[in-house]
Amino acid sequence: MRKPETIAKSLIARFNVAVAVKMTMLFGSIWCVYAFFVFSLVPLIVPQWQNTLLYISNCIQLVALPALMVGSAVLSQGADKRASEDHAALLEILSDVREELADLKDKTAGIARDTTEALQRPAVTDVSISDQTIVLGDKADGDTN
């Protein structure tokens, strides 16, 4: 059984990962771009809020940058794991293809050997069917059978 401290650390780690991923998805959305664009236009409407908005902007940057880095690292771990699994699957497929190729080479070598042996046999000019003999002539000699 796991210790309560280990369980607590695991829960905290999962919570941190979940928050980092959610923040990465939030800050990476187009709606966040629109919100920050509107936020950047506020000093044009209310110039006296510029210092306060600058402070808020700096706070957002100080929180968002580390959160984005952690979220990107977590998301890339998933991509790395998928890439590793894909690599292992492709290596297995490659091994199967190599085995099939070796089998095909053996079969084609046997066919080539049989064909070579058949071509090296002397040509038969006399064909015997039951008690009759048929003599095949050479077409170059002018015989037609």
Side-chain angles (χ1 to χ4, degrees):
M1 184 170 164
R2 295 193 313 178
K3 295 180 181 180
E5 299 89 21
T6 307
I7 294 171
K9 285 181 183 178
S10 175
L11 290 174
I12 291 171
R14 284 191 300 182
F15 174 76
N16 289 339
V17 166
V19 168
V21 169
K22 292 287 185 192
M23 287 182 76
T24 301
M25 300 306 267
L26 173 71
F27 283 117
S29 70
I30 192 67
W31 297 109
C32 190
V33 173
Y34 295 150
F36 287 152
F37 178 72
V38 170
F39 182 78
S40 69
L41 295 178
V42 170
L44 296 176
I45 300 167
V46 188
Q48 63 270 22
W49 288 4
Q50 186 168 1
N51 288 337
T52 305
L53 293 175
L54 183 61
Y55 175 76
I56 293 170
S57 173
N58 287 340
C59 290
I60 290 172
Q61 289 179 26
L62 287 172
V63 170
L65 183 62
L68 287 171
M69 292 179 70
V70 172
S72 296
V74 169
L75 293 173
S76 71
Q77 286 175 352
D80 291 345
K81 183 180 176 188
R82 283 189 302 277
S84 176
E85 290 170 356
D86 288 348
H87 180 72
L90 288 173
L91 285 178
E92 186 176 331
I93 291 170
L94 178 63
S95 174
D96 292 345
V97 168
R98 285 183 175 159
E99 288 175 13
E100 289 293 326
L101 183 61
D103 187 40
L104 286 173
K105 283 183 179 179
D106 289 343
K107 288 180 181 178
T108 55
I111 291 171
R113 184 179 55 251
D114 293 344
T115 305
T116 304
E117 289 173 3
L119 291 174
Q120 290 175 352
R121 291 187 194 140
V124 176
T125 56
D126 294 340
V127 177
S128 175
I129 300 175
S130 70
D131 60 347
Q132 299 176 0
T133 301
I134 300 173
V135 177
L136 299 175
D138 205 11
K139 296 215 184 238
D141 295 339
D143 294 339
T144 56
N145 292 341

